[in-house]
Amino acid sequence: MSYSIERYLKTLELDKILDLLAEETTVEDALLLAKSTVPKTDINEVNELLAQTSAAHTFMSRYSAPSFGSASNITPYLLMAQSGGVLSIPELIAVAETLRVIRSLKEWREDCTAVDKTPIDFLFNSLVPNRFLEDKINFAIKNNEELNDNASDTLFGIRRKIIAKSNKIRDILDKIVHGANAKYLQEAIITQRDGRFVVPLKIEHKGQINGIVHDTSSTGSTVFIEPMSVVETNNEIRVLKLNEQEEIERILAELSAECGNFADSITASYKAVVSLNLIFAKAKLAYKMKAVVPETNDQGRIYLKNARHPLINYKSVVPITVSLGEEYNSLIITGPNTGGKTVSLKTIGLLTLMAMCGLMIPADDGSRIAVFGKVFADIGDEQSIEQSLSTFSSHMTNIIHIIKNADDNSLALFDELCAGTDPVEGAALAKAILIRLSAYGVKTVATTHYPELKAYAIDTDFVENASCEFDVTTLKPTYRLIIGMPGRSNAFAISKRLGLDPEIIDNAKEQVSEEDTRFERVVAALEGARRAADREHSKVLTLRRELEESKKKADQREHEFEVSKQKLMEKTRETANGIIESARYKSSLLLNELEELKKNINAENAAQTAEKARLAYRSSLKELEETADPVIEKNVSGDAVTKVEKGDIVLIADIGRDATVVDVRPDKKQAYVMSGSIKMWVDFKNLRPKSKNAQSTELKKTRRVTGLQSRALREVSGEIDIRGMASDEALLELDRYIDNAVMSGLETIRIIHGKGTGVLRKSVQEHLKTHRNIKSFRLGTFGEGENGVTIAELK
């Protein structure tokens, strides 16, 4: 018998998973595709399928799933249209709806700009919207039974004529119904028979209205007659109805031909829609299962971390962590009945098949799945002594098939291997089968009650024990899978808890061989050690969680501090910028005032103007200092001076600067001090004493600042030498000199520019012609420097 994976899919319940997948689809063909999904055995195909599912999962996490509307398989309609057939109205509506879905899916992907290129983009790129045909069909068709009046000009005209003639007939018949002949009618109504307007006439008055009888009531008491006055108009309506039907057929044929022209592109797009619907159904199922994409390999290595059986409610299922194909190739699972052995076995097999189908698996990140060429399973309940040999034979037949077809790229799963027969023979047979499969390199997982297989796992390399934990105290399984620990039967403990006579239990223990007793004691000791290790491990995990929580809180506090610091820095920058802008504004005002003073200065008011300039300078300087130091009140320590003399070194307390006393006003308790280039009057209470011999540290720190000085503090020469300078540089230096000369009260200045080529002299004199502070100028005379100097008179 050749190998076929399909025979094992139902055994591992993959069919139930595929039914769940089918429920997530919305397109009929995608549903059929889901139910017929078969695991892939090529790792590249598996990786491609998983990548597609992961991409859809990512789309859903950011944008939710796209809508697939009522897309349906319109391929038969398109083939018929392509061969010249005419589609019905419902068939054309199905084509239009599928085109709408194709277009909406294309637009949905284009709107998902946050997701870059993905493994399913080729499917979105395969979608070819056809808005022209979609709109044309929707414009022409009103509902499942009729076309719109505006589907064509001809159809509109025909229907308008039909309405007009119908109204004409109704007017004629309305006169009959409400006129003198009304007494002959069964009812005062107008109705239709075979598409012709008629009135119901009592049978006994059949001859009272001249016309054509079209029908009789079931009782025979009423005849439906078409009066002769409307026969001709009814005939005209009948002709118009035939024309209407011909026009409808023409429009449908035209729309069908359009569908046939685009049949290939629409068919290809529909196939992409089906594939996308299946992929997003996988992603939806993954969300419901809280599943992840596993790592894959083709070396037979399995590692399932907190794996959950997907058919058991996630709130009640106990996760298992299990590995295979790394440190060991065979795993022997033991434990009591209903303890979870079969569930663990099926979880390993089912999650492997799910991944091979491109489905995400219900496990934690970091899980690994091997892609096997062959997967085998022999799973069934343990047989009782009353069951016939045929059941054992059927299992053995399956096992023989597995042995014949398994290789080193196979996974074999056995539930209660070789049960249902003599325990001694069954155990020996099971051990021999496991040895053979191990020799083939088959990755094997088997559940059993045989103690011989527990010993086999302990004594054999690359074979490992596992057990499903059982709580003897509560007589209930915990469903935890413990790797490296063989399970105990717990029969004696369970029987004792249930109330079996202790004498019977003691008698039973005597029947157990010393070797088996020793083995059970070793297992019990191992289990006790394992429980102690678990408790210690739990404590370590608790401490680790607490440490991580503490670190997390510390990191959070550090982050909050950093954010607070950044906010404070930003606020400080804003404040500093405000101070700078204010200082700039004050400086600008000061310069403007000085400019005004320069304009108004003359010989008579020079002293008064200079003093005014000094006062303005000091006032503005004080404002700038206060702006730059926004502290309202300073806590100044130390005793203030009570007496100072010229030349004393003092500390200006509120600004923290050293200064030298230049002058003193004892009566006002003020000292005129110089700090760097700044001179000011300061109250004694703001000064702190320093040694007379101390040097001002501030003087060393200051740098020379070129600024405006009052005439009292300024010494300006009566001449300026600009020889050797370039014209631009000379004129700038000359302007600065003239300003200082004006502020110093000079009336005449001497500008030395040299004779040379005369270029500098010419530039100076051209400049002086337009200078606002120059009253007149002339070349020097003999003894003044002649052509090498210019004498200028200031305003």
Side-chain angles (χ1 to χ4, degrees):
M1 185 187 300
S2 62
Y3 169 76
S4 174
I5 196 171
E6 285 81 358
R7 65 181 294 183
Y8 300 108
L9 302 185
K10 189 171 184 179
T11 302
L12 292 171
E13 300 179 296
L14 181 66
D15 58 321
K16 296 179 181 178
I17 299 298
L18 297 182
D19 287 341
L20 295 177
L21 175 62
E23 292 175 6
E24 300 299 331
T25 61
T26 57
V27 180
E28 182 65 24
D29 284 346
L31 181 146
L32 299 175
L33 204 58
K35 285 181 172 290
S36 61
T37 299
V38 176
K40 303 297 182 183
T41 57
D42 181 83
I43 190 171
N44 293 323
E45 290 185 66
V46 172
N47 287 337
E48 183 179 354
L49 292 174
L50 286 172
Q52 292 173 357
T53 305
S54 178
H57 194 267
T58 301
F59 274 119
M60 288 179 60
S61 66
R62 297 189 180 185
Y63 299 99
S64 76
S67 172
F68 289 85
S70 300
S72 58
N73 188 0
I74 56 174
T75 304
Y77 309 152
L78 297 174
L79 291 175
M80 182 171 69
Q82 204 171 29
S83 61
V86 178
L87 304 183
S88 65
I89 292 177
E91 291 170 344
L92 286 168
I93 290 175
V95 172
E97 171 60 15
T98 302
L99 286 173
R100 185 196 67 78
V101 171
I102 292 170
R103 175 176 53 81
S104 66
L105 284 174
K106 187 81 170 182
E107 293 172 350
W108 181 87
R109 177 61 184 99
E110 291 172 352
D111 291 338
C112 298
T113 54
V115 180
D116 295 330
K117 187 176 180 180
T118 71
I120 58 175
D121 279 346
F122 77 98
L123 292 171
F124 284 107
N125 294 334
S126 300
L127 300 173
V128 182
N130 192 332
R131 190 65 181 265
F132 164 76
L133 180 56
E134 178 189 346
D135 289 345
K136 191 170 184 178
I137 294 174
N138 289 330
F139 179 78
I141 295 177
K142 184 177 183 180
N143 52 45
N144 282 339
E145 297 179 353
E146 61 178 321
L147 299 182
N148 281 316
D149 294 345
N150 294 325
S152 73
D153 293 340
T154 302
L155 183 62
F156 179 80
I158 292 172
R159 287 183 174 176
R160 186 173 59 179
K161 290 178 182 178
I162 290 174
I163 291 172
K165 293 189 179 297
S166 296
N167 289 336
K168 179 180 178 182
I169 291 175
R170 285 182 180 279
D171 291 341
I172 296 172
L173 294 181
D174 193 61
K175 292 178 181 178
I176 295 175
V177 169
H178 297 94
N181 293 322
K183 59 186 177 181
Y184 305 124
L185 300 177
Q186 191 72 35
E187 291 182 81
I189 61 171
I190 301 170
T191 185
Q192 283 188 330
R193 287 294 185 273
D194 297 329
R196 303 180 75 88
F197 288 95
V198 295
V199 293
L201 186 66
K202 295 177 182 177
I203 187 67
E204 60 269 22
H205 300 300
K206 184 177 179 181
Q208 296 299 322
I209 298 178
N210 185 26
I212 301 171
V213 176
H214 284 279
D215 196 7
T216 306
S217 66
S218 58
T219 61
S221 61
T222 305
V223 292
F224 296 92
I225 188 167
E226 178 187 6
M228 293 304 297
S229 57
V230 299
V231 169
E232 183 61 29
T233 307
N234 264 330
N235 289 339
E236 292 175 356
I237 290 176
R238 177 62 63 86
V239 172
L240 288 172
K241 288 284 187 181
L242 293 175
N243 292 340
E244 178 189 27
Q245 189 58 38
E246 289 178 359
E247 180 61 13
I248 289 173
E249 291 177 358
R250 186 196 68 77
I251 293 171
L252 294 178
E254 180 182 326
L255 292 175
S256 300
E258 291 281 6
C259 291
N261 292 337
F262 298 106
D264 292 338
S265 65
I266 298 175
T267 300
S269 296
Y270 173 71
K271 290 180 179 178
V273 169
V274 172
S275 298
L276 286 169
N277 190 245
L278 178 60
I279 292 170
F280 276 95
K282 291 179 179 180
K284 290 179 184 177
L285 186 61
Y287 262 106
K288 290 186 175 181
M289 291 184 177
K290 303 185 185 304
V292 300
V293 178
E295 301 173 17
T296 60
N297 65 86
D298 54 3
Q299 287 83 44
R301 296 195 297 270
I302 295 175
Y303 173 67
L304 298 176
K305 182 180 180 183
N306 291 326
R308 306 171 297 278
H309 195 288
L311 298 177
I312 301 176
N313 189 300
Y314 75 92
K315 293 182 180 179
S316 58
V317 66
V318 177
I320 65 169
T321 298
V322 60
S323 61
L324 185 69
E326 295 183 347
E327 297 179 1
Y328 48 88
N329 293 330
S330 299
L331 185 65
I332 310 299
I333 304 176
T334 51
N337 290 332
T338 70
K341 300 191 304 297
T342 304
V343 171
S344 297
L345 191 73
K346 285 186 174 181
T347 300
I348 297 170
L350 181 55
L351 267 56
T352 297
L353 294 178
M354 286 176 62
M356 292 169 65
C357 291
L359 292 166
M360 296 164 66
I361 63 172
D364 287 357
D365 285 325
S367 296
R368 295 187 295 276
I369 287 291
V371 177
F372 292 100
K374 300 173 184 178
V375 177
F376 303 93
D378 181 65
I379 298 176
D381 295 332
E382 184 176 354
Q383 307 304 312
S384 70
I385 194 171
E386 297 175 345
Q387 291 179 305
S388 65
L389 183 63
S390 60
T391 303
F392 173 78
S393 298
S394 64
H395 280 289
M396 186 51 63
T397 301
N398 192 26
I399 292 170
I400 293 170
H401 173 262
I402 294 173
I403 294 173
K404 287 183 177 180
N405 290 277
D407 55 27
D408 60 355
N409 191 26
S410 301
L411 172 66
L413 307 171
F414 300 97
D415 187 29
E416 302 297 350
L417 180 60
C418 294
T421 187
D422 179 79
V424 176
E425 294 180 355
L429 197 57
K431 181 177 178 180
I433 291 170
L434 291 174
I435 291 173
R436 172 63 66 88
L437 292 174
S438 179
Y440 287 169
V442 180
K443 308 303 179 290
T444 307
V445 183
T447 68
T448 184
H449 282 289
Y450 295 139
E452 292 85 351
L453 295 187
K454 303 177 189 177
Y456 164 71
I458 293 174
D459 296 336
T460 309
D461 292 337
F462 304 110
V463 182
E464 185 60 88
N465 269 306
S467 61
C468 289
E469 190 178 49
F470 188 87
D471 191 336
V472 181
T473 304
T474 61
L475 299 182
K476 292 181 179 179
T478 65
Y479 302 106
R480 289 182 60 207
L481 185 66
I482 311 299
I483 303 297
M485 178 67 62
R488 300 173 61 194
S489 64
N490 295 309
F492 294 152
I494 294 173
S495 300
K496 184 176 181 180
R497 288 277 299 173
L498 293 175
L500 185 63
D501 189 334
E503 186 178 346
I504 296 176
I505 296 174
D506 292 339
N507 190 14
K509 289 181 178 179
E510 292 176 0
Q511 307 302 317
V512 178
S513 67
E514 179 63 27
E515 183 179 348
D516 289 341
T517 303
R518 248 190 339 265
F519 181 79
E520 286 295 322
R521 283 200 297 267
V522 171
V523 171
L526 287 173
E527 186 171 355
R530 193 266 307 166
R531 288 181 182 275
D534 281 351
R535 286 193 295 270
E536 291 300 318
H537 182 63
S538 178
K539 291 179 182 178
V540 170
L541 290 179
T542 301
L543 290 174
R544 179 180 294 175
R545 282 195 298 270
E546 292 175 355
L547 181 61
E548 289 175 351
E549 187 65 26
S550 298
K551 184 178 182 301
K552 184 178 179 182
K553 290 180 180 178
D555 290 343
Q556 179 66 22
R557 285 195 294 269
E558 183 179 356
H559 174 70
E560 291 174 356
F561 174 75
E562 186 65 26
V563 171
S564 177
K565 185 177 76 173
Q566 291 298 329
K567 289 182 178 178
L568 181 60
M569 290 292 292
E570 186 63 29
K571 186 176 180 180
T572 303
R573 289 191 193 97
E574 292 177 359
T575 303
N577 288 335
I579 292 172
I580 292 170
E581 290 301 320
S582 177
R584 286 175 177 168
Y585 176 71
K586 298 287 186 181
S587 300
S588 177
L589 290 179
L590 176 59
L591 291 174
N592 290 337
E593 291 179 10
L594 293 176
E595 287 293 332
E596 290 298 321
L597 290 172
K598 284 197 294 183
K599 292 179 182 178
N600 299 326
I601 195 169
N602 53 50
E604 291 77 15
N605 65 3
Q608 182 180 357
T609 303
E611 181 61 26
K612 186 177 181 181
R614 279 196 296 272
L615 292 175
Y617 170 73
R618 290 171 184 168
S619 174
S620 296
L621 182 63
K622 183 67 174 176
E623 290 183 15
L624 290 177
E625 288 175 347
E626 291 175 353
T627 303
D629 186 3
V631 178
I632 298 173
E633 291 185 3
K634 288 183 178 286
N635 184 16
V636 180
S637 61
D639 296 329
V641 300
T642 57
K643 181 181 179 182
V644 292
E645 297 178 358
K646 292 181 181 180
D648 287 351
I649 304 298
V650 293
L651 173 68
I652 306 175
D654 60 352
I655 63 174
R657 295 174 64 95
D658 291 349
T660 303
V661 177
V662 178
D663 196 1
V664 181
R665 293 175 181 168
D667 54 335
K668 295 185 177 181
K669 295 188 180 300
Q670 290 182 335
Y672 191 55
V673 299
M674 181 174 68
S675 178
S677 61
I678 300 174
K679 292 183 178 180
M680 68 186 82
W681 287 100
V682 182
D683 293 338
F684 283 1
K685 64 181 180 180
N686 195 29
L687 297 176
R688 297 294 178 268
K690 298 195 79 174
S691 172
K692 274 194 174 184
N693 297 324
Q695 291 184 343
S696 173
T697 56
E698 296 298 329
L699 293 175
K700 296 178 182 179
K701 294 180 183 178
T702 56
R703 55 194 175 115
R704 186 175 183 275
V705 179
T706 302
L708 188 64
Q709 291 180 314
S710 68
R711 193 174 73 179
L713 303 175
R714 188 188 306 268
E715 292 183 4
V716 179
S717 172
E719 65 180 21
I720 180 174
D721 189 347
I722 58 175
R723 288 176 293 182
M725 297 183 184
S727 294
D728 292 342
E729 181 186 2
L731 295 180
L732 286 173
E733 197 65 31
L734 178 59
D735 280 342
R736 189 179 298 111
Y737 170 74
I738 293 173
D739 289 342
N740 289 334
V742 170
M743 293 298 295
S744 298
L746 298 180
E747 295 181 358
T748 305
I749 59 174
R750 180 168 177 261
I751 305 168
I752 306 172
H753 43 66
K755 297 179 180 179
T757 60
V759 174
L760 186 56
R761 179 182 67 247
K762 184 178 180 182
S763 297
V764 167
Q765 293 184 352
E766 287 294 329
H767 185 64
L768 293 177
K769 287 179 182 179
T770 58
H771 200 290
R772 64 180 182 276
N773 290 323
I774 301 300
K775 183 177 181 181
S776 62
F777 64 89
R778 61 178 175 78
L779 287 174
T781 59
F782 180 78
E784 292 179 322
E786 300 180 349
N787 293 340
V789 301
T790 297
I791 307 299
E793 184 181 355
L794 302 179
K795 291 182 180 179

